Each structure stands twice: as C-alpha cells, then as structure tokens.
Amino acid sequence: MQLFYNPNIDETTESFSFDKEESKHIIKVLRKKDTDILFVTNGLGLLFKTEITLASDNKCTVQILAVEKAAPSKFQLHLAVAPTKMNDRYEWFLEKATEIGIHEITPIICDRSERKVVNKERFEKILLTAMKQSNVLFLPKLNEAKTFKEFIKLKNNGLQLIAHCEETDKKSLKSVLKPGENVTLLIGPEGDFSEKEIALALENNFVPVSLGNTRLRTETAAIVACHSVVFVNEE
C-alpha cells in the first residue's frame, strides 16, 4: 500500500485536494488518473480510502470512500535524545524509530553536547517520510529542543529512565519494562551525561538503566531502547 498524508482531514471529511507539490507528484510522477484509488492518513490513526475525482497536477482532488481507525497504542514511548555531532546519525535514528513505533521525541541539549542547534523542520520531514514509507498511521510528535534542566522539570506519566555509561548501580532495561506502561527515557550525547546531570535525574525520580554490555553510540542506544520497549508491548 502506498500511503499519502493530509493532516487536515478527519472522519467528517467527504473530499479534499492535495497541495500543488503533492498533486504534481501524484499525477506527473506516479501517473495517477481519474478513478484511481489512493490511501491517505492524517497521522492520527485514521486511514482513508479515496478515489481521484480530478486528476490535475495543480490540484488533485479525491473523494473519501471509506475510513478505518487504527487501535490506539496501549503505551506511550517518549525518547529524549541528545543531538549527535553528525546530523545524519540523528536523522537515521528519527527514521528508524518511526518505523519501529515511537510516539514522541524531544532533542535535549546537555552539558557535553557538541551540537546545540537542530533543524526541526527537516526532522519533521524525515518523520513524515518514514511514516508514509512504513505504512504507519501515527506520526510521532517532535518537540522543540530543550536543555537537560528544562526537560527534567517536566512531568512525565509512567516510568522515567536514564541510560548512562557511568559505572554505578543500574538495572537492565528489560528488567524494569512492563507491558502497557508509559516510558520516558533519556539518552545522552557522545560524551555521555555529566555527573551533575545524572545526579539531577536521580533527584527527579529517574531510574538508571543499562542497555547492554557494550558501549553504544547515541543513535544506536536510542534505537535499542525504542525496540526494547515496543518488543515488550507486542501481543
């Protein structure tokens, strides 16, 4: 199934038109024509079966024939991950986490972060492309970047975890995960969290966890954590 995206439609919508860029792609590149069927999501769990009623490369219009609603997730996974020095590594994480089933992402700027500015618009495009390519019906929420101190003050529902590399008493991630439980997990930069940040996290009821016996890159650690949480919640 080839999936298209329109954030402005819901169960009450009867017909709509794609913007000029998407219309040109549908008609000129994909060579779709009148009466062809397109599948569209609004990124909120709805799948629309539509039929092209006007095959114009300036304004492709479709009529909605049927709507399906995906079951809501029984858990929510929020990863707060420090931006990597090489931007493409963070973009790889965004793409793969979307395919696996992440719900929310916050870039966090830490004491040892080498990259302190992120391009949110580009990141959102990567999430959208990954959602469409993997036929996922929920678009992950991407928050504005926050400093570690700003993020740690937020109220998070469910389990709060921090994965760091210090040789301290830590539990294995798999030992603390339970099906159906919301998870917020912190992943630090290449140089890891500072001692002050780890202490601050513990003061705010974050549980220190280990992701395994090897030292992982930031983006690898984030993917391992993402898959672990989703795997525990598989039925």
Side-chain angles (χ1 to χ4, degrees):
M1 179 180 69
Q2 186 171 25
L3 192 61
F4 298 88
Y5 173 69
N6 189 311
N8 302 315
I9 57 178
D10 57 31
E11 291 170 295
T12 66
T13 306
E14 297 181 356
S15 65
F16 67 91
S17 299
F18 292 96
D19 61 29
K20 187 174 182 179
E21 181 180 355
E22 189 80 298
S23 295
K24 184 176 181 180
H25 178 72
I26 292 169
I27 305 304
K28 291 293 187 180
V29 179
L30 300 179
R31 300 185 181 279
K32 299 295 184 180
K33 56 187 183 301
D34 285 344
T35 72
D36 279 354
I37 300 297
L38 301 180
F39 290 93
V40 187
T41 183
N42 62 355
L44 299 174
L46 294 179
L47 178 65
F48 301 84
K49 181 180 180 181
T50 73
E51 180 183 60
I52 297 178
T53 56
L54 178 61
S56 168
D57 58 2
N58 286 317
K59 189 178 180 181
C60 177
T61 302
V62 298
Q63 177 183 359
I64 294 177
L65 303 179
V67 183
E68 293 182 19
K69 190 171 185 178
S73 177
K74 295 180 180 179
F75 71 101
Q76 291 292 308
L77 171 59
H78 183 182
L79 288 185
V81 184
T84 52
K85 181 180 179 180
M86 301 300 292
N87 214 34
D88 60 336
R89 294 188 179 278
Y90 203 85
E91 293 175 359
W92 177 84
F93 147 65
L94 293 173
E95 178 184 80
K96 301 310 174 187
T98 301
E99 293 176 15
I100 294 169
I102 197 169
H103 303 97
E104 188 172 357
I105 301 161
T106 302
I108 51 170
I109 310 304
C110 303
D111 291 341
R112 295 172 180 167
S113 289
E114 295 190 59
R115 179 178 292 277
K116 298 182 182 294
V117 178
V118 299
N119 187 336
K120 187 169 185 278
E121 183 178 352
R122 176 169 172 78
F123 285 179
E124 286 176 334
K125 289 181 179 179
I126 290 169
L127 294 176
L128 177 57
T129 299
M131 180 194 73
K132 293 193 294 184
Q133 289 180 341
S134 55
N135 286 337
V136 174
L137 300 183
F138 291 94
L139 181 65
K141 179 183 179 182
L142 177 66
N143 298 315
E144 296 287 347
K146 297 183 182 298
T147 66
F148 183 90
K149 289 182 179 179
E150 288 173 335
F151 186 85
I152 215 73
K153 293 177 183 178
L154 300 177
K155 292 183 179 180
N156 300 293
N157 295 322
L159 200 58
Q160 297 187 128
L161 308 174
I162 178 171
H164 63 78
C165 300
E166 291 294 317
E167 294 297 330
T168 59
D169 185 27
K170 293 181 286 187
K171 299 180 179 180
S172 67
L173 178 60
K174 66 179 181 180
S175 71
V176 300
L177 296 177
K178 297 178 181 178
E181 187 171 25
N182 295 341
V183 176
T184 300
L185 197 154
L186 308 177
I187 304 287
E190 282 89 343
D192 199 14
F193 293 112
S194 67
E195 292 182 2
K196 289 173 60 177
E197 288 171 332
I198 294 172
L200 183 59
L202 299 185
E203 289 173 10
N204 285 271
N205 301 314
F206 278 78
V207 177
V209 294
S210 167
L211 302 180
N213 297 323
T214 58
R215 192 178 183 93
L216 304 176
R217 289 180 179 270
T218 294
E219 70 278 8
T220 310
I223 292 301
V224 168
C226 182
H227 180 264
S228 297
V229 176
V230 173
F231 184 77
V232 164
N233 282 277
E234 284 187 346
E235 297 181 353

